[in-house]
Amino acid sequence: MDIAESSPDWITPDWPAAPSVRALTTLRTGGHSTGPYQSLNLAAHVGDDPIKVERNRDAIQQVLKLPLEPVWLEQVHGVAVIDAADARVARRADGGYTDKTGVACAVLTADCLPLLLCDLGGTEVAALHGGWRGLAAGIVEQGLKRFRSPRHHLLAWLGPAISARYYEVGEEVRQAFTAYGADVQAAFAPSHTGHYYADLYAIARCQLRQGGVRQIHGGTFCTYAERGRFYSHRRDGRGNQQTGRMASLIWIDPASA
């Protein structure tokens, strides 16, 4: 597969966010990386040439006219959500929150669920990394706790993730979600191999609703199926193989706030 180098491209949430809220998920096209990382890989931990990753990150910052570099996290499939504007806080976390303008919260994914949040007034934003471990451990609730705004005043957007059709998991994964009740359990459909097809979108929607969020958007993409647009660890990263990562960003635009 040859993905031509051009300018970075992305998809934007279809949600009724305030004009001050800017948000997007990058596509894998329009960068400088080569080989299995073609071409807009934004992850520094997957074995790609660090110089090319830095060029990709610089291109994103320049094209989006971000006043500051996005707050890149060291993601560990946990539940820590940091204050992205606080430079003193360690960045070993799976979510970032801010109520400051110009600070871009970012999460990297290649099948896991990127979840973006904002309040109706456009004064608070957050980005969460939702692999099954993080979702089971409570990353959604920890992200919601960061907001001062009432839960019913929040918007959520579910970015590109692997669809249930391609995400087969074992019984231990289904068991990890038993505390969330029957609604979340319904997100697991038995497969013909004795395992389950897990619907990350359905899991996140249930958890958001349980947390009091009513306006939930997105959840229509499949990273596994759309090879030309998205990286997919399950499709391309098996064994010793590697693949790149997309970035989901959200920030409060200083010019609109």
Side-chain angles (χ1 to χ4, degrees):
M1 176 180 57
D2 181 23
I3 299 176
E5 180 179 315
S6 56
S7 61
D9 200 4
W10 55 82
I11 56 176
T12 56
D14 181 12
W15 63 347
S20 58
V21 175
R22 300 282 305 280
L24 59 93
T25 294
T26 60
L27 302 180
R28 66 177 298 172
T29 51
H32 303 279
S33 295
T34 57
Y37 309 103
Q38 282 190 296
S39 71
L40 190 65
N41 169 46
L42 294 165
H45 69 286
V46 296
D48 194 5
D49 183 338
I51 295 176
K52 292 179 178 177
V53 175
E54 194 62 34
R55 288 180 68 191
N56 291 339
R57 290 184 172 186
D58 287 346
I60 286 293
Q61 185 175 354
Q62 292 172 16
V63 169
L64 296 176
K65 297 180 173 58
L66 294 170
L68 302 170
E69 182 180 9
V71 180
W72 306 108
L73 305 176
E74 181 187 347
Q75 297 168 191
V76 293
H77 293 274
V79 298
V81 180
I82 65 166
D83 180 348
D86 189 348
R88 300 166 298 177
V89 175
R91 294 186 177 183
R92 187 179 175 89
D94 284 87
Y97 161 90
T98 191
D99 58 1
K100 305 294 191 298
T101 62
V103 176
C105 301
V107 291
L108 298 170
T109 58
D111 285 339
C112 290
L113 173 66
L115 199 163
L116 303 182
L117 297 163
C118 69
D119 71 309
L120 289 173
T123 62
E124 300 179 86
V125 298
L128 309 179
H129 164 236
W132 75 261
R133 290 179 178 83
L135 290 171
I139 185 67
V140 170
E141 182 60 23
Q142 291 305 310
L144 295 178
K145 285 181 178 178
R146 279 285 183 176
F147 285 80
R148 299 184 304 274
S149 301
R151 302 289 176 86
H152 63 281
H153 285 181
L154 300 184
L155 299 172
W157 184 71
L158 310 181
I162 191 169
S163 67
R165 177 181 178 183
Y166 299 102
Y167 192 40
E168 191 172 6
V169 300
E171 171 67 16
E172 75 282 0
V173 177
R174 189 181 73 86
Q175 288 293 330
F177 288 90
T178 55
Y180 292 99
D183 287 347
V184 172
Q185 288 295 298
F188 293 85
S191 72
H192 66 279
T193 63
H195 295 93
Y196 295 89
Y197 293 111
D199 190 335
L200 294 176
Y201 289 133
I203 291 169
R205 288 190 186 101
C206 287
Q207 292 180 334
L208 286 163
R209 286 194 294 265
Q210 289 175 1
V213 180
R214 295 293 175 262
Q215 299 195 52
I216 305 169
H217 304 267
T220 61
F221 300 98
C222 178
T223 49
Y224 189 105
E226 299 182 68
R227 182 184 296 269
R229 304 180 81 196
F230 304 121
Y231 297 110
S232 169
H233 184 267
R234 181 158 287 216
R235 184 189 63 223
D236 302 326
R238 295 301 187 103
N240 294 324
Q241 299 299 311
Q242 287 282 12
T243 190
R245 300 291 189 272
M246 293 86 65
S248 293
L249 309 173
I250 188 167
W251 70 100
I252 304 169
D253 186 356
S256 302

